[in-house]
Amino acid sequence: MVWADWKGKDAMSNSHYDRNREEWMLAEYLVERICGRATGRTEDECLRNHPRDVYFLGNLRPRPNPAAQQRAELHELQRKLAPMAFGAEFLVDGDAEPIAFSVTLKWACYYRIFPTLAQQREHQLHQSAGSEDEQLGVTLGPQTPSADLAAGNGTQSQPGGGEGDERDETEEETAADRTRGRGPHDSLFIRFRKIACGATGTIRLERNQDGQWVTDVSNLMQVLTAEINRARQVVLDDPERIRTTTSPERQVQVPEGALASDVAFRRFLSSLPTEVVPSWGWEVRAVMRPSGLEHTDGQVVSIQFLNVSQSDERAHNTEPFLFDPIAGFSFPDDGVQPFELALAPRGFRYDRHIWGHGFNCAVERVHSASGSTFRTTFSPVFRQMRYVTRSRPVARFSDLARDPVPILNGIVRAMEESRGLWEECRQRYAQDHRDWESRFEDEYERDRLRFEDEVARFRRGIELIQSSPEVSLAFRLTNETFLRMGEHNQPEKRKESWRLFQIVFLVTQISSIAALSEPDSSSTAERRAVDIIYFPTGGGKTEAYLATVVFHCFFDRLRGKSAGVSAWTRFPLRLLTLQQTQRMADAIGIAELIRQSQTDRRLNGDGIDGFSVGYFVGAEATPNEIVDPNRYRFAGPEDTVIWSQATDPEARQRWKRVVRCPACKTPTVRVDFDVVAVRIVHRCTSATCAFSGGEIPVRVVDNEIYRTLPSVVVGTIDKLASLGNQRKLAQIFGQVDGRCSVHGYYKVRCCQKDCGDQSRLRPGVPRGVTGPTLFIQDELHLLKEGLGTFDAHYETFTQMLCRRFGQREPLKIVASSATIEAFEW
C-alpha cells in the first residue's frame, strides 16, 4: 500500500499562494531576467560582439548556401545551438474543410551601425594594449587555428594593418578574437541595433479534386515579406548604419587620424560609400498528414518557419540570424484537439493532454475568450506547485506522549469528514469529462477503497493503543523520543509536532508490529503486505519510518525480547547509508536514554540489552574485523595494518561514522579504541554528555555487530549476500549459544578470533532473542533491473531462513521512495 494521498500530498491552497506571493513574484522576475538576457529581449543594442555570439536562446541561423555547406563540419556546435527552423504541430478535425487559421510571427533582427567616437577610441586603445602584450609574449587567448576552431568559429585571426589592408575571408577577425581582444587594433568597434518585427496572416488548407490536402501560405508570406521590407527600410533610413569601402562584407579599419576629433571621425565615416543592406527572409511550410493515432480521425497540421536570409553565417557587417521568434496560432472554436502524451501515467489523477508538438521549441496554450490560441516558446516554464503537509489537526509530540487517544481520535474525525470530498470529486470529474466513468470509474473506486482501508487500519492502531498497555507505553515513549529530538535552543528550529502523514503512517503500522505478541491474530496478514511511504524529497519520509523503528524497539522489549536485532534498514548506496546512520543514531540514541530512565523491568532490568545502531557496510568503509596480530597466530599483513590503525589515535578517526552526539547535538565526537574488548567506540567529549562515559551506542565494525547484536542494523543491500558465506551472520538472526564475558555473544565459539579462553564463555540464550522482524528499504525506486533481481533472491531466502530459525511471523517490509511507479506490482 502506498501512503501518499490524504495524509499530506496536497497542493498549496489559494491562501497559501497569497502568503507566498513575494516568493512567486521573485521567481517570475528571475526567470524573466534570465530569459530576457539570453534572447536579447531586454536590450536594444548588442555591443562588442555579434548578436549570434551573445543571444543563444531562440536564435535561428540562416539556411546555408552550397559553399557554406562544404564548411558545415566547422560549425557543428553552432548548428546544435541555433537551428534553421522552428514550428508546431496541431491535431485538427479531419472532416472540417477548408481549414483556415490565423498566424502571428514575431521576431527580432539586427543590423550593424557605426560606433560613437568614444566607443571607437576605447576600443582601439584596448586593442593596442592587447597587441603590445602579445609582442611581449603575453598570451591573451588561443593562439592556434585549432583553438579558434574549438571555439566554434572555424577561422584564424591575423593582426590587421591600416585601412585598405587586403585579407582573405578565412583570416578575418572571428568572434573568439573579438571576445578575447585579439582583433586588429584599428578594427571597427562592434555595435548592432535591434529591430522588433511582427506580422499576422492566415494559412488555409483544403482538399483538391484528388482528395489531397493543399496548403496556401500566400497570405502569410505576403505580410511577412512586407514586414521584412519595412525592416530593410528602417536600416536605410538610419544615418548610423554601417557602410564600407568596397565590398559590403569588407572589414572597416579606422585610421588613427580619424580619432582626432568628432569632425575627423564624421568625415571618415562619410567617406565610406558602399551600402550594407541586410537580406533577411522567411520561408513558411505547412503540410497536412494523417495523425496515425488510435480512436481519432483527426489530421495533423504541421507549420514550420525557416530562416532563408541570404548571407554567410560568418558575415562581419550583417547579421543573418533571426532572434527571439515567437509564433502564435489562432484556430476557430473546437478547431484543435489535444494530443495524448503516452509517457504520462494513464489515470484520473493525471492530465495526459498536450495541445501541440513543438519543433525546436515548445507549444503553450493561451487562454482566450474566442477560439483556440497557442504560441511557441524557446523557454517553456512549468509551474510546479509546492507539496505541503496538512497541519490540522495538530499532533504535538508532548500531547501524544502524555495522552494520545484524544489527539488520534481528532485525526480520525478529520479523515472521516474528508470522505465527502471523494463524492464531490467524482461528480466534478464526471461533469468535466463525458467519458470519465467508462475510463476511470474503476480506478477511482479502487483508490477510494484504499483510503477507506487506511482509515480502518488507523482505527485498529488506536484501538490497540487503548487496549494494550505495552502498545500504549511504546507509543508514548516513541513520542517522548521525538519530543527530545526536536528540542533546540533556537525556537524557529524546534520541531514540536508530527506532519499528519507521519503520525498516520506510524499508527497504521502498530497492528502489524503488535501481531508479534499474538502470532495467530487477525493482524498477521498485514505483516505480509509491503507498505510504501511515498512523498517528495524533503517531505519527512525518513522521520515516518524512524518513528516505526523506534516504536518497534520499545515494543520488542515490552513483549519480552531482551536482546537481538529488531530492524534492518537498507540503502542502495553507501553514501545514503552514511547520511542516514547519523539520523538513525540520533533517534536510537535518544530512545536509549529514555529506556535507561524507565522503571519497568522489561525495559531496564537485569539481562536487558540497550538500544544501539550497527553500521553494516563492509571493509570499504570500516574494517570487517579487528584482531591483535600478536595474539592471533594466523594474522596476516592486513590484520597488522588494521590493528595499527585502530591503536593510532589519529588514524582511527577515519572510521568515524557519527559526527554529532545525539544527546548534546554538537560535533564533539571522537573515535576511541577499547583494546580489551576490541571495540571501536564513538565517544562524546562533552563533560555534560548524557551518555555514560560519553559512549554513543553505535557499532561500525562487522565483527562487533555480530557479537553485540545492535537493535537496528543500517547497511547497504549487498550485505544481505553474506548470508551465503558468513557463519557469524546467523547470530544477527538470533542464533546464539551464549555470551563471552569480554567480547559479547557467540555461536559455538567466540566471534573474536584472538579469544581462545573457553572459560569466558557463558552459555545461555537471551530471553526472547530473534532475528530482525522489520525490514526498512529506503529509496525503493533504485531497486530495479539487475539490482532488484539480485535483492529479490536474497530477500526471499531471508524469509525462508527466518522460518527455519523458528520465527512464526513473516518479516514486515516497509519501503520509502520519492519517485515511484507501478507500485501495485
Side-chain angles (χ1 to χ4, degrees):
M1 182 173 293
V2 173
W3 300 84
D5 296 339
W6 156 152
K7 296 174 290 298
K9 192 183 147 188
D10 296 323
M12 291 187 297
S13 63
N14 290 333
S15 61
H16 194 85
Y17 295 151
D18 294 338
R19 293 194 300 270
N20 293 275
R21 183 168 180 77
E22 290 186 359
E23 294 182 11
W24 183 275
M25 294 176 64
L26 176 61
E28 288 189 328
Y29 171 77
L30 293 175
V31 170
E32 182 180 353
R33 290 289 296 172
I34 293 172
C35 294
R37 291 294 300 273
T39 58
R41 198 175 299 158
T42 59
E43 300 167 344
D44 294 327
E45 291 189 358
C46 182
L47 306 178
R48 298 182 179 85
N49 289 282
H50 281 59
R52 76 194 81 159
D53 299 326
V54 179
Y55 308 130
F56 60 88
L57 184 61
N59 61 353
L60 299 181
R61 62 187 175 92
R63 180 172 55 188
N65 56 42
Q69 288 180 343
Q70 296 178 1
R71 300 192 301 269
E73 68 276 9
L74 302 178
H75 301 275
E76 180 179 357
L77 178 60
Q78 196 174 56
R79 291 201 309 274
K80 292 180 179 179
L81 293 177
M84 292 183 294
F86 81 108
E89 292 183 344
F90 301 97
L91 183 62
V92 298
D93 186 358
D95 295 331
E97 185 184 354
I99 297 175
F101 54 94
S102 174
V103 178
T104 298
L105 183 62
K106 297 180 179 180
W107 73 96
C109 50
Y110 289 80
Y111 64 99
R112 192 169 183 181
I113 60 176
F114 287 125
T116 64
L117 177 59
Q119 290 172 331
Q120 187 62 35
R121 282 175 173 174
E122 181 184 2
H123 171 68
Q124 290 196 212
L125 179 64
H126 173 72
Q127 298 291 3
S128 297
S131 299
E132 292 176 2
D133 287 339
E134 286 188 358
Q135 293 174 6
L136 293 174
V138 179
T139 302
L140 300 180
Q143 301 296 310
T144 64
S146 61
D148 286 328
L149 297 182
N153 298 281
T155 57
Q156 178 179 350
S157 174
Q158 289 281 357
E163 182 183 3
D165 179 39
E166 294 290 342
R167 292 186 294 168
D168 184 81
E169 185 180 4
T170 60
E171 298 178 339
E172 292 178 345
E173 179 191 14
T174 68
D177 296 332
R178 291 190 296 274
T179 56
R180 295 177 176 87
R182 292 181 55 217
H185 74 276
D186 57 353
S187 61
L188 188 68
F189 177 80
I190 299 176
R191 183 185 179 194
F192 279 84
R193 182 165 290 166
K194 181 171 68 174
I195 304 175
C197 302
T200 300
T202 59
I203 293 180
R204 183 181 177 89
L205 302 96
E206 58 184 338
R207 297 182 188 270
N208 60 18
Q209 295 179 350
D210 298 330
Q212 302 296 319
W213 285 97
V214 178
T215 60
D216 181 4
V217 298
S218 58
N219 179 265
L220 180 58
M221 283 302 305
Q222 181 178 355
V223 295
L224 290 176
T225 301
E227 182 64 4
I228 290 172
N229 291 335
R230 183 194 68 82
R232 290 188 185 131
Q233 191 60 44
V234 169
V235 177
L236 295 174
D237 292 342
D238 190 341
E240 295 182 307
R241 69 188 182 279
I242 192 173
R243 297 178 298 279
T244 65
T245 54
T246 55
S247 170
E249 288 303 331
R250 184 182 182 83
Q251 281 192 301
V252 177
Q253 271 74 48
V254 183
E256 292 289 343
L259 304 182
S261 65
D262 285 334
V263 174
F265 189 61
R266 287 196 299 271
R267 184 183 304 117
F268 167 73
L269 296 182
S270 62
S271 69
L272 302 174
T274 304
E275 294 284 355
V276 179
V277 182
S279 298
W280 297 306
W282 283 107
E283 179 181 322
V284 180
R285 299 173 181 175
V287 296
M288 184 78 88
R289 58 178 174 81
S291 67
L293 302 175
E294 298 181 1
H295 312 299
T296 179
D297 57 354
Q299 299 280 323
V300 173
V301 56
S302 176
I303 310 102
Q304 290 188 15
F305 305 92
L306 180 68
N307 181 1
V308 293
S309 301
Q310 300 299 312
S311 182
D312 196 314
E313 294 181 23
R314 301 187 304 163
H316 292 280
N317 299 324
T318 57
E319 179 55 275
F321 282 54
L322 299 176
F323 297 86
D324 196 21
I326 300 175
F329 308 89
S330 182
F331 292 84
D333 289 331
D334 301 325
V336 175
Q337 306 170 27
F339 293 100
E340 194 167 323
L341 185 61
L343 294 178
R346 186 184 298 275
F348 70 93
R349 297 178 183 274
Y350 304 94
D351 183 4
R352 307 176 82 228
H353 293 154
I354 55 174
W355 289 95
H357 292 154
F359 173 67
N360 288 329
C361 63
V363 177
E364 297 177 334
R365 189 181 188 188
V366 181
H367 294 288
S368 175
S370 61
S372 301
T373 305
F374 310 90
R375 68 184 172 201
T376 62
T377 177
F378 286 89
S379 54
V381 175
F382 178 74
R383 296 180 176 178
Q384 172 65 55
M385 302 305 176
R386 181 181 299 168
Y387 286 91
V388 295
T389 55
R390 295 193 177 187
S391 57
R392 295 289 185 275
V394 178
R396 292 187 179 88
F397 301 137
S398 56
D399 295 335
L400 292 167
R402 183 177 58 256
D403 186 11
V405 174
I407 306 299
L408 299 178
N409 283 336
I411 297 175
V412 169
R413 287 192 295 269
M415 295 175 75
E416 292 177 338
E417 289 172 2
S418 68
R419 286 172 171 167
L421 294 175
W422 285 88
E423 188 58 35
E424 293 177 13
C425 290
R426 183 200 302 270
Q427 295 176 2
R428 185 172 67 251
Y429 291 151
Q431 291 174 357
D432 294 342
H433 306 281
R434 289 172 296 182
D435 60 345
W436 185 86
E437 291 187 359
S438 61
R439 298 181 63 185
F440 303 123
E441 175 73 18
D442 292 342
E443 179 192 2
Y444 187 87
E445 186 63 19
R446 285 195 301 270
D447 277 7
R448 188 189 66 80
L449 292 176
R450 288 193 187 105
F451 175 72
E452 295 288 350
D453 183 59
E454 292 177 13
V455 177
R457 291 182 64 181
F458 188 70
R459 279 186 171 280
R460 285 198 295 273
I462 297 175
E463 292 170 359
L464 285 168
I465 293 174
Q466 291 177 299
S467 62
S468 170
E470 291 78 15
V471 170
S472 178
L473 180 56
F475 184 78
R476 287 186 282 111
L477 293 179
T478 298
N479 282 277
E480 178 67 25
T481 300
F482 280 83
L483 177 63
R484 294 267 298 271
M485 288 175 60
E487 293 174 349
H488 201 280
N489 294 331
Q490 301 178 25
E492 66 275 8
K493 292 187 177 181
R494 292 175 190 161
K495 186 171 182 181
E496 300 177 339
S497 60
W498 295 106
R499 298 175 183 179
L500 282 184
F501 83 94
Q502 294 172 335
I503 185 61
V504 170
F505 181 80
L506 170 59
V507 174
T508 53
Q509 300 306 304
I510 288 178
S511 59
S512 63
I513 296 174
L516 293 171
S517 61
E518 299 180 16
D520 298 324
S521 68
S522 59
S523 299
T524 300
E526 292 188 14
R527 295 192 58 81
R528 298 188 178 91
V530 177
D531 285 324
I532 306 172
I533 183 167
Y534 161 54
F535 203 85
T537 300
K541 299 183 301 297
T542 301
E543 285 79 6
Y545 71 68
L546 279 179
T548 306
V549 171
V550 172
F551 174 84
H552 201 304
C553 290
F554 278 120
F555 183 76
D556 267 359
R557 291 293 179 268
L558 291 169
R559 73 182 178 91
K561 183 174 179 177
S562 63
V565 178
S566 292
W568 190 330
T569 304
R570 307 183 311 142
F571 299 88
L573 304 174
R574 184 170 294 140
L575 179 60
L576 293 172
T577 308
L578 180 61
Q579 292 172 337
Q580 299 294 45
T581 297
Q582 177 70 63
R583 302 178 73 176
M584 187 66 74
D586 291 340
I588 298 301
I590 296 298
E592 168 60 11
L593 293 175
I594 292 175
R595 184 200 66 82
Q596 293 175 8
S597 67
Q598 300 301 302
T599 58
D600 192 315
R601 305 304 294 170
R602 295 173 296 177
L603 292 171
N604 192 18
D606 294 336
I608 303 298
D609 281 3
F611 299 150
S612 59
V613 176
Y615 179 72
F616 196 47
V617 172
E620 292 295 326
T622 55
N624 286 334
E625 61 181 339
I626 302 174
V627 297
D628 185 350
N630 299 317
R631 300 174 56 188
Y632 182 48
R633 61 176 179 171
F634 298 110
E638 183 178 351
D639 295 314
T640 303
V641 171
I642 293 176
W643 183 263
S644 65
Q645 291 176 340
T647 55
D648 186 330
E650 297 298 327
R652 64 176 175 250
Q653 301 306 313
R654 63 185 291 266
W655 296 333
K656 184 189 295 184
R657 290 298 175 264
V658 173
V659 299
R660 182 181 66 249
C661 175
C664 303
K665 301 180 181 179
T666 55
T668 52
V669 179
R670 73 163 185 254
V671 176
D672 290 343
F673 182 52
D674 185 339
V675 179
V676 176
V678 194
R679 292 179 51 241
I680 294 295
V681 178
H682 282 65
R683 193 181 308 279
C684 176
T685 58
S686 174
T688 60
C689 183
F691 290 111
S692 177
E695 183 174 336
I696 300 171
V698 174
R699 316 284 182 248
V700 298
V701 178
D702 287 10
N703 198 54
E704 191 177 331
I705 291 172
Y706 300 141
R707 52 194 172 92
T708 59
L709 300 184
S711 309
V712 181
V713 172
V714 179
T716 51
I717 63 170
D718 61 312
K719 291 297 287 185
L720 202 60
S722 301
L723 284 170
N725 55 28
Q726 177 54 263
R727 175 188 62 84
K728 290 179 284 190
L729 194 61
Q731 295 178 204
I732 287 182
F733 288 86
Q735 302 306 294
V736 297
D737 293 337
R739 185 192 292 266
C740 172
S741 60
V742 176
H743 300 113
Y745 292 107
Y746 73 89
K747 178 69 175 177
V748 180
R749 59 179 181 273
C750 183
C751 289
Q752 188 62 27
K753 291 179 179 178
D754 51 16
C755 178
D757 190 348
Q758 297 294 319
S759 64
R760 295 173 175 174
L761 302 184
R762 305 287 187 270
V765 178
R767 179 167 50 88
V769 66
T770 66
T773 47
L774 175 65
F775 263 23
I776 304 289
Q777 179 60 63
D778 205 352
E779 305 297 342
L780 178 66
H781 60 278
L782 295 180
L783 263 65
K784 56 185 179 181
E785 299 176 349
L787 182 61
T789 303
F790 166 87
D791 180 64
H793 286 298
Y794 283 98
E795 280 199 26
T796 52
F797 176 61
T798 302
Q799 295 274 15
M800 183 273 293
L801 198 63
C802 289
R803 290 195 298 270
R804 288 286 184 91
F805 289 154
Q807 290 185 206
R808 298 176 58 183
E809 301 301 313
L811 272 170
K812 175 63 181 178
I813 299 177
V814 171
S816 75
S817 176
T819 306
I820 192 170
E821 60 183 7
F823 60 86
E824 297 90 347
W825 295 89

